[in-house]
Amino acid sequence: MPDIDSRLTSLIALREAGRHAEALPLLQQLFAEAGRTMNPPRSRYFITMLQWKFLAEAYAPAYAALQVERDAQIRLLLSGEHDFGRHDNSDPQGSGAFGRTSRFSLIADMNETLGDAHSTADLFARLDASAPELARQYAWQALPAVVEAGNFALADRYRRPVPLGHLDTVNALAASEPLFPAPGTAPRLAAELMNLVKDVRIAAAVLRGQGQAAEAEALCAALLAGLAHDAMRALARRELDAPGSITAEIVKRQMDEEAQA
């Protein structure tokens, strides 16, 4: 059997050539193998799922196949199989491997590709009822979907109680870390800012959903007023209005810098 890299190369070539009907079964094979392999490299999972996203955007059968696989993963999670992939005790934390990625995270990623936030919200509500300790573990990823689904009471129970609690940490980090680091360098400040804005955005959405619009606006204003400098403030304002703006800006800047190198 060809190695994984050569099959990924073949998959990408088939997709880019528009040979979608040939690409889909190869993609499904690679995904199934990732679920059976012992501690596969993390990159194998991410690349495979990214290719499924690209294929689903161009080819309706790939979208339908992803729905089927998503439903299968939900069944596995609810049956008690919380991690995707096989693991041994030599890599208990999944360090350097795909290992310990949660099945809930996989499902949430699939639903993001499918544009089906309600599926993530419904699954989270089921976990809240049957396994609240798991729901708390996955809340950071589920809450945007729960808010989008309009389940503000559920979101209120799991959101960060003090959404501005990390504001001082972000400002302190801004004194030593660039907002847009060089290519290949972890964007620590931007990541912390993104998490802070997410906490505020979720809390504000819950407040608005519960009829407290003035309190929501005051919270967002407090975030912007409390940030240490204008560049962070501008980026936070964009992230509040359009989630994903920070990630998109980081990627764009790094690609621009790499192109000029």
Side-chain angles (χ1 to χ4, degrees):
M1 178 180 291
D3 62 44
I4 183 67
D5 290 338
S6 66
R7 283 182 291 152
L8 272 173
T9 300
S10 297
L11 168 63
I12 293 169
L14 288 169
R15 180 182 60 76
E16 291 180 344
R19 296 164 62 182
H20 300 146
E22 297 172 67
L24 179 56
L26 179 55
L27 177 62
Q28 291 171 303
Q29 179 187 50
L30 292 172
F31 180 82
E33 287 182 11
R36 295 192 300 266
T37 301
M38 187 70 71
N39 299 329
R42 186 175 296 274
S43 60
R44 178 173 175 180
Y45 158 73
F46 287 120
I47 293 172
T48 302
M49 289 309 302
L50 183 63
Q51 289 302 313
W52 208 327
K53 173 181 171 63
F54 291 153
L55 190 60
E57 290 172 348
Y59 184 54
Y63 182 96
L66 185 59
Q67 288 179 310
V68 171
E69 187 59 55
R70 183 271 318 273
D71 292 344
Q73 295 300 321
I74 289 175
R75 289 192 294 271
L76 288 169
L77 175 61
L78 294 176
S79 73
E81 296 189 29
H82 301 150
D83 294 328
F84 182 85
R86 298 173 59 214
H87 322 295
D88 58 29
N89 294 327
S90 65
D91 190 18
Q93 302 301 320
S95 55
F98 168 50
R100 298 301 178 186
T101 296
S102 74
R103 200 175 300 276
F104 185 91
S105 294
L106 169 66
I107 294 165
D109 287 345
M110 289 176 162
N111 280 329
E112 186 171 344
T113 294
L114 293 168
D116 192 356
H118 279 267
S119 172
T120 299
D122 290 346
L123 177 58
F124 185 74
R126 294 176 72 176
L127 290 177
D128 171 61
S130 63
E133 69 285 355
L134 283 178
R136 189 155 300 282
Q137 180 180 338
Y138 303 145
W140 67 274
Q141 190 164 15
L143 282 179
V146 174
V147 166
E148 185 175 336
N151 194 340
F152 301 112
L154 179 60
D156 197 27
R157 294 212 314 275
Y158 284 94
R159 71 177 177 90
R160 193 178 295 276
V162 184
L164 291 174
H166 291 295
L167 178 60
D168 289 344
T169 300
V170 171
N171 283 335
L173 193 61
S176 60
E177 292 283 339
L179 190 54
F180 301 111
T185 305
R188 292 183 57 205
L189 176 55
E192 290 293 340
L193 178 62
M194 185 163 49
N195 289 335
L196 173 63
V197 175
K198 179 180 177 181
D199 289 341
V200 170
R201 188 177 66 249
I202 288 171
V206 169
L207 288 168
R208 292 189 190 98
Q210 295 177 333
Q212 301 177 64
E215 291 85 346
E217 295 307 314
L219 176 61
C220 293
L223 166 67
L224 297 175
L227 289 169
H229 57 72
D230 290 343
M232 287 200 302
R233 197 170 298 116
L235 202 54
R237 183 179 290 108
R238 287 166 55 194
E239 184 74 14
L240 283 171
D241 294 338
S245 294
I246 291 178
T247 298
E249 183 66 21
I250 292 170
V251 171
K252 178 181 182 300
R253 284 176 177 259
Q254 292 194 343
M255 289 179 64
D256 289 346
E257 291 184 23
E258 289 171 354
Q260 294 171 5

